[in-house]
Amino acid sequence: MKSAVETLNPTRVRLTVEVPFEELKDSLDAAYKKINQQVTVKGFRKGKIPARVIDQRFGRGAVLEEAVNDALPKLYTEAVNEAELNPLGQPEVDITELKDGEKLAFTAEVDIRPTIEIPDYSGIEVEVDAIEVTDEDVEKSVQQLRERFASTNPVERAAAEGDVVTLDLEAKVDGEVLPDGVASGVSYTIGSGELLDGIDEAVTGLEAGGEATFTSQLKGGSAEGKDAEVTVKVTAVAARELPELDDEFAQMASEFDTLDELKADSRKRLENMKQFDQATQAQERVLEKFLELAEIPVPEKLLEDEINTRKHNLEHHQLGQMGLTLEKYLEFQGKTVEEFDAETKEQAVKGIKTQFLLDELVSQEKLNVDQEELTEHLMRRAASSGMSPDQFAQAVVQGGQVPMLVGEVARGKALAVVVEAAKVVDTNGNVVDLSDEDEEQATETVEAVAGEAEVSEEK
């Protein structure tokens, strides 16, 4: 076999392959054997039909076609390995010559990973938000905990903001009661904004037994998006009573004996959360700078596939679970189709470039993923998917996704290397030390940028 490589552009090549006919012998034998198992000829046992009879009855062309189909994948892989290429996706194969008894010639165009030079990232500098937890932040956190321990007591007065009311609802569109437009015994906290627009104004000031009618656009159900005439009846009013903020509350709501200890713990937790957010912000901004430093061409076909994958996942998984169409989602977002397409393309380009660049750094730095790191990542992915670790692991193995998970962890480690080398300062001018940050957090940052689609190599 002879092969040659022609570079069409930095991300695409054309392989030209010529194969002497004698090298197709194994594939020809396999073709005759396969046809033998599929056909019957009077006077011959199944599987025992001579090759000359198959040629006469079914045509030599049918045999050659079967042999070429069998040989092409192996010949293509051999040519790819010989040229030391890293192909992406499936090739476009064109048989240019097939002479019986002489030779087979074909071309194969395929996208390849571009050659990337890792830029010097030691000079990257980024600014991040300072970690500041105010007394107001602490008070808000404690107040939220206090809200969770609130009790409700029936009152005989008009409903006011913050009260919990029990409601009966009836929605009409064009004068007709909707089949799914009647509900009774609905519990609602006035001011929470969890029901229909306009309901807070309608029920505020009503006592038990009072009714009101208002117009509101329906957010779901059979008449989603339509204006409905909604009649609401208040059947009960209850006031929310918050516990006193004292040591007794601290003992009831936490493991602490005093309110001061509870507040100190709240401050510490808020600081930890802000520290996590600061680290994520640093990773995102360092990655942005790293990408800006590198020249990374993107294969057109790969980009097209990535865009389609992102659109499919959004439309059929994320939006589908929420009962939304893409059109309705864009309406809520206030975006045109053109704006959505441009944004999706920008995200896809960034995701592909991120994978290419970090994969190259993994190779250059010889970063490995051990079993403990892979297991930790698998556990986190299982938790986010709502599956048990065993179920998730089984699904990953059966789907052949283990290399994908290894790649995710490796890219996280590569980003951690870049972040550690960068200079990170907060808005107060203080240097932020991220050398001890968890590499798993960097992996999450990379996942968020790169998306779910994996740049895969196929041979």
Side-chain angles (χ1 to χ4, degrees):
M1 184 186 82
K2 293 190 303 181
S3 65
V5 180
E6 176 187 358
T7 300
L8 303 178
N9 61 50
T11 62
R12 193 166 179 84
V13 297
R14 179 188 292 123
L15 282 164
T16 301
V17 182
E18 289 188 6
V19 185
F21 205 78
E22 56 266 23
E23 292 186 22
L24 297 177
K25 183 179 183 306
D26 289 345
S27 293
L28 278 169
D29 291 343
Y32 280 117
K33 185 175 181 180
K34 183 175 180 180
I35 294 173
N36 241 306
Q37 300 300 321
Q38 294 175 337
V39 302
T40 57
V41 175
K42 189 175 181 180
F44 296 95
R45 286 185 297 160
K46 195 175 186 66
K48 299 295 184 180
I49 308 169
R52 59 178 176 77
V53 175
I54 290 177
D55 290 344
Q56 292 169 356
R57 289 292 184 93
F58 306 103
R60 175 69 169 176
V63 178
L64 290 177
E65 181 180 356
E66 185 65 44
V68 169
N69 288 340
D70 176 77
L72 274 178
K74 292 176 283 190
L75 295 170
Y76 166 72
T77 299
E78 187 178 337
V80 163
N81 292 337
E82 188 176 285
E84 298 182 343
L85 298 175
N86 294 314
L88 303 169
Q90 294 294 333
E92 295 179 8
V93 177
D94 181 28
I95 297 174
T96 56
E97 189 175 3
L98 176 58
K99 288 186 178 180
D100 194 0
E102 294 185 28
K103 70 175 180 178
L104 163 69
F106 67 91
T107 61
E109 287 191 20
V110 68
D111 287 333
I112 59 169
R113 277 185 179 266
T115 300
I116 299 171
E117 184 176 339
I118 298 295
D120 180 9
Y121 49 82
S122 61
I124 291 178
E125 294 185 16
V126 298
E127 185 181 70
V128 294
D129 296 335
I131 297 176
E132 295 176 348
V133 178
T134 65
D135 291 343
E136 184 181 346
D137 292 331
V138 176
E139 292 299 329
K140 183 178 178 181
S141 176
V142 173
Q143 183 64 23
Q144 289 173 342
L145 181 62
R146 188 185 182 200
E147 296 274 353
R148 287 168 48 193
F149 284 85
S151 59
T152 56
N153 294 305
V155 292
E156 295 182 3
R157 60 166 172 77
E161 184 171 355
D163 287 342
V164 178
V165 289
T166 305
L167 308 174
D168 292 340
L169 298 163
E170 182 182 82
K172 293 181 180 179
V173 172
D174 299 329
E176 296 289 331
V177 177
L178 297 171
D180 54 355
V182 178
S184 59
V186 177
S187 181
Y188 175 66
T189 301
I190 299 175
S192 66
E194 294 175 352
L195 275 178
L196 299 167
D197 292 338
I199 195 167
D200 289 335
E201 295 81 358
V203 300
T204 298
L206 295 181
E207 297 184 21
E211 285 190 14
T213 300
F214 63 100
T215 301
S216 182
Q217 188 179 78
L218 299 178
K219 297 179 180 179
S222 60
E224 179 184 358
K226 293 185 178 180
D227 287 338
E229 183 183 83
V230 182
T231 299
V232 56
K233 179 179 180 180
V234 177
T235 60
V237 180
R240 297 177 76 246
E241 294 186 6
L242 300 174
E244 290 293 327
L245 280 178
D246 52 23
D247 292 346
E248 187 176 335
F249 167 72
Q251 294 164 16
M252 173 183 67
S254 70
E255 70 271 29
F256 301 105
D257 293 327
T258 68
L259 183 61
D260 287 342
E261 289 175 332
L262 173 60
K263 288 183 176 181
D265 180 69
S266 294
R267 183 179 294 276
K268 183 63 178 175
R269 284 190 296 103
L270 289 171
E271 287 175 350
N272 290 339
M273 289 170 58
K274 289 192 178 241
Q275 188 174 22
F276 183 91
D277 292 341
Q278 185 190 65
T280 299
Q281 189 180 64
Q283 290 160 358
E284 291 172 348
R285 292 181 179 179
V286 168
L287 178 58
E288 288 277 359
K289 295 273 189 180
F290 191 31
L291 289 171
E292 289 172 7
L293 292 173
E295 290 289 335
I296 311 171
V298 176
E300 291 183 12
K301 181 64 168 61
L302 180 64
L303 176 59
E304 180 185 341
D305 291 344
E306 175 73 352
I307 290 172
N308 290 336
T309 296
R310 287 173 181 256
K311 285 183 176 179
H312 178 85
N313 289 343
L314 174 66
E315 191 167 1
H316 298 282
H317 296 298
Q318 295 162 259
L319 297 182
Q321 291 176 356
M322 295 186 287
L324 288 176
T325 62
L326 181 59
E327 292 74 18
K328 184 62 67 175
Y329 167 76
L330 293 180
E331 182 182 324
F332 288 154
Q333 293 288 314
K335 294 178 183 176
T336 65
V337 173
E338 291 74 21
E339 288 171 334
F340 169 73
D341 286 343
E343 186 179 284
T344 303
K345 181 178 180 180
E346 182 181 351
Q347 293 169 346
V349 168
K350 185 177 180 181
I352 292 171
K353 286 185 174 183
T354 295
Q355 289 200 31
F356 280 165
L357 184 57
L358 293 180
D359 283 346
E360 185 64 30
L361 186 57
V362 167
S363 177
Q364 177 177 297
E365 296 292 327
K366 296 180 172 55
L367 301 176
N368 296 314
V369 177
D370 61 35
Q371 186 61 49
E372 183 179 348
E373 292 167 331
L374 181 59
T375 300
E376 182 181 345
H377 183 57
L378 186 147
M379 298 278 282
R380 184 186 64 79
R381 286 288 301 268
S384 64
S385 70
M387 301 169 67
S388 72
D390 287 345
Q391 288 174 326
F392 186 79
Q394 186 176 3
V396 165
V397 172
Q398 290 178 346
Q401 300 297 302
V402 173
M404 183 190 76
L405 291 186
V406 172
E408 289 173 351
V409 178
R411 284 189 283 272
K413 296 181 74 169
L415 177 57
V417 169
V418 181
V419 171
E420 187 173 349
K423 181 180 179 181
V424 182
V425 296
D426 66 21
T427 48
N428 292 332
N430 300 314
V431 175
V432 179
D433 182 10
L434 296 171
S435 59
D436 293 331
E437 288 304 312
D438 190 355
E439 291 174 348
E440 183 67 19
Q441 187 178 352
T443 301
E444 292 182 41
T445 301
V446 174
E447 284 180 59
V449 173
E452 294 181 9
E454 181 78 3
V455 178
S456 59
E457 297 178 3
E458 298 186 34
K459 296 184 179 181

